[in-house]
Amino acid sequence: MEWEEWEPFYLRIVREMGYSIEKDREAAQILRALLLEGDDYILREELKAVVGRRVYIFGAGPSLEEVLNKFDFSDGTLIAADGATSALLEFGLVPDIVVTDLDGRIPDLKIANDRGAFMVIHAHGDNIEKMGIYVPIFERILGTCQTEPLDIVYNFGGFTDGDRAAFLAEALGAEEVVLVGFDFGETVGRWSKPGLKEHSPMWESKRKKFAFAKELLDWLAKNGKAKIIQFPVSGEGG
Ligand SMILES: Nc1ncnc2c1ncn2[C@@H]1O[C@H](COP(=O)(O)OP(=O)(O)OP(=O)(O)O)[C@@H](O)[C@H]1O
Ligand SMILES: Nc1nc2c(c(=O)[nH]1)N=C(CO)CN2
Ligand SMILES: [Mg+2]
């Protein structure tokens, strides 16, 4: 998704969610500075080499557990949306890429990174403090933002970690993007927030986030090159 396509979505998101564009911009600059300081950042070409023809993106919906129990995902690139990293690790899988705004369980994100996962860390106005603390502990980081892209801080489009991962996969050449654990129902999966002990009823800000995420994924299915597939496809997985 080009900036011109993303900007109208972003302006609606900012208005609806009450975010500050200035703070989002500041966050992008801060991430850039942290990446340069740490000297452990990567460029899109390096991540493109990791992305195969088929990509599985794992969201943190409640269905994830059953699906991870039943199916094998060894024929594609594995991308975990933030909290879903914890579920994958529980099932002995290490994602190839983690897409995060640093509100998943940090120790699990770190384990995934230590075991080889590339980190796609997103800068926004509400994670500036977390970036300062946690960006330095990770390796092999690609930076993203939701305002105008900077040289080493990319904007491929997308809002929540899950739909943003799908836009990343599309931009890096995936032909098939399979969404796993993207329930978007009335229940938020227990992996979604470090404080959640169990699957939890939807709260208002999350409902708004999910509405944008769904709209963006519909946009991608219509306008992107990659085929977007919801898993399990009907008939599979009961
Ligand atoms: N029912 C669901 N519960 C949780 N995540 C879901 C669900 N359905 C789809 N997802 C996708 O899985 C992703 C999991 O990411 P996660 O919940 O850890 O963080 P997030 O996008 O940063 O949201 P927040 O900022 O509210 O924490 C979401 O971004 C969303 O796109
Ligand atoms: N300013 C701001 N931007 C975001 C936020 C957030 O909480 N604040 N959460 C996101 C992931 O869901 C993506 N972008
Ligand atoms: Mg997150």
Side-chain angles (χ1 to χ4, degrees):
M1 184 184 235
E2 298 301 322
W3 167 257
E4 295 70 33
E5 296 165 315
W6 166 245
E7 192 180 18
F9 280 105
Y10 175 60
L11 294 176
R12 278 176 51 218
I13 288 169
V14 163
R15 204 171 337 124
E16 176 76 21
M17 304 299 297
Y19 298 155
S20 151
I21 297 177
E22 277 318 303
K23 274 184 80 181
D24 282 347
R25 280 201 185 113
E26 186 191 339
Q29 292 289 355
I30 289 171
L31 178 58
R32 179 177 185 276
L34 287 165
L35 292 178
L36 290 173
E37 205 174 300
D39 200 23
D40 223 340
Y41 65 89
I42 58 165
L43 301 178
R44 71 179 283 164
E45 288 67 32
E46 196 171 333
L47 203 60
K48 190 172 163 59
V50 177
V51 173
R53 205 186 69 77
R54 174 177 295 155
V55 171
Y56 293 103
I57 299 182
F58 298 90
S63 72
L64 187 56
E65 198 151 22
E66 195 186 335
V67 164
L68 286 173
N69 246 320
K70 273 194 186 156
F71 298 95
D72 170 63
F73 297 97
S74 56
D75 62 342
T77 307
L78 310 186
I79 304 186
D82 213 358
T85 306
S86 303
L88 262 64
L89 292 176
E90 270 181 43
F91 283 84
L93 293 173
V94 179
D96 298 296
I97 301 173
V98 173
V99 172
T100 177
D101 63 347
L102 301 177
D103 60 3
R105 288 191 183 88
I106 298 288
D108 288 345
L109 303 187
K110 177 72 179 140
I111 289 171
N113 188 216
D114 287 347
R115 293 183 185 167
F118 288 81
M119 305 302 292
V120 176
I121 298 185
H122 188 63
H124 61 63
D126 295 294
N127 72 352
I128 291 177
E129 205 176 316
K130 281 192 175 141
M131 286 196 300
I133 301 169
Y134 298 122
V135 167
I137 73 168
F138 291 112
E139 295 165 22
R140 299 182 308 282
I141 307 167
L142 182 106
T144 64
C145 66
Q146 52 200 25
T147 46
E148 298 82 356
L150 308 172
D151 49 1
I152 58 163
V153 179
Y154 299 87
N155 183 344
F156 303 112
F159 176 39
T160 73
D161 292 317
D163 64 285
R164 203 165 352 93
F167 280 90
L168 173 87
E170 156 89 20
L172 299 185
E175 290 169 29
E176 239 181 69
V177 174
V178 186
L179 304 176
V180 186
F182 278 65
D183 305 344
F184 288 132
E186 281 301 306
T187 309
V188 178
R190 70 183 163 90
W191 307 277
S192 186
K193 284 259 174 279
L196 291 185
K197 295 271 175 299
E198 42 195 66
H199 302 325
S200 304
M202 182 69 68
W203 54 93
E204 203 42 43
S205 60
K206 198 77 171 175
R207 191 189 305 282
K208 286 186 194 168
K209 283 185 173 183
F210 279 5
F212 281 117
K214 278 190 278 191
E215 195 184 329
L216 282 157
L217 287 170
D218 285 346
W219 186 96
L220 187 60
K222 279 203 194 86
N223 298 285
K225 286 202 198 90
K227 190 171 173 201
I228 310 290
I229 300 163
Q230 277 283 351
F231 189 90
V233 290
S234 50
E236 281 182 85

